[in-house]
Amino acid sequence: MSKIIAPSMLAADFGNLQSDIEMVNNSEADWFHIDVMDGVFVPNISFGMPVIKAITKLAKKTMDVHLMIVEPDRYIKDFKNVGADILTVHYEACTHLHKTIQEIKSQGMKAGVSLNPHTPISVLEDIIRDLDLVLIMSVNPGFGGQSFIENTYKKITQLKTLIEQSNSNAIIEVDGGVTDKNIEKLSKVGVDAFVAGSFVFKSKNPTETISTLKKLVSN
Ligand code: DX5
Ligand code: ZN
């Protein structure tokens, strides 16, 4: 499978969302990464259904929706209705994770689970075969523009082993502090999909930055 670049729309210019969406459409990016924050699971609030619906309307690529919210089960259908293709919930926010994953799949979406930096890979042992994607947080969720946590490499290596040993089809996504300095090493240890917010949108030429990232992981 070729590697995936997923620009995080959290770092886009909300006053000019349409032009940033078109930039992603016309770039080598593969997915739109959409960060939903509720001010409870994380100490920040981002955006909700109307904004996601507006993005979906213009976006021509896969909608990769990352829920940083408590009780995600309450909104699974709503996220399907506003255009989510992949729906990722946090392990730390789900008491009945297996049920949540089945519900996401029954709505026709791919199902992902995200782990905070302090949560060990071992908690996924009994769910890994049910997952389409595992999202490893390489920063504490809540804000863009934070520094990459180095312990992430070790976690990715452990996750890769778990996936292989379990014959799981899950792909590995990493989120937070991804730049041209760490993306190659992340790719080598087994990451399939890379979220990049600030590094893309705060750069002089976001389209070129996306191409640069794509090239770095295409070898
Ligand atoms: C953080 C979000 C990330 C964030 C990444 O809570 O889940 O997707 O937008 O932003 P950067 O790439 O700036 O670290
Ligand atoms: Zn995210």
Side-chain angles (χ1 to χ4, degrees), residues 6 8-10 33-37 64-68 88 90 114 135 137 139 141-142 173-176 195-196:
S8 167
M9 299 311 285
L10 189 66
H33 185 79
I34 306 291
D35 288 304
V36 181
M37 304 177 182
D64 171 37
V65 179
H66 174 196
L67 301 186
M68 286 159 274
T88 296
H90 264 264
S114 183
L135 174 57
M137 290 308 301
V139 298
E173 185 175 27
V174 71
D175 187 3
V195 177

Side-chain angles (χ1 to χ4, degrees), residues 26-136:
N26 296 322
S27 75
E28 289 179 59
D30 302 274
W31 295 351
F32 283 81
H33 185 79
I34 306 291
D35 288 304
V36 181
M37 304 177 182
D38 65 354
V40 180
F41 182 70
V42 287
N44 195 10
I45 297 176
S46 58
F47 42 72
M49 309 304 172
V51 174
I52 300 172
K53 203 172 168 183
I55 298 174
T56 307
K57 227 171 151 186
L58 299 166
K60 297 194 179 122
K61 298 181 176 182
T62 297
M63 293 286 282
D64 171 37
V65 179
H66 174 196
L67 301 186
M68 286 159 274
I69 66 173
V70 296
E71 300 184 36
D73 307 67
R74 290 171 59 190
Y75 305 102
I76 291 172
K77 239 190 196 145
D78 296 320
F79 284 108
K80 171 68 184 175
N81 289 339
V82 295
D85 298 302
I86 304 167
L87 197 62
T88 296
V89 295
H90 264 264
Y91 166 82
E92 301 83 1
C94 296
T95 311
H96 303 288
L97 185 60
H98 182 270
K99 189 164 168 248
T100 305
I101 294 303
Q102 304 314 321
E103 183 59 27
I104 293 172
K105 288 181 164 178
S106 77
Q107 291 293 327
M109 295 177 283
K110 300 264 186 214
V113 166
S114 183
L115 298 186
N116 277 338
H118 74 277
T119 305
I121 297 298
S122 56
V123 300
L124 297 176
E125 271 172 27
D126 290 305
I127 193 78
I128 193 73
R129 283 174 62 95
D130 296 283
L131 303 181
D132 297 304
L133 179 149
V134 178
L135 174 57
I136 299 296

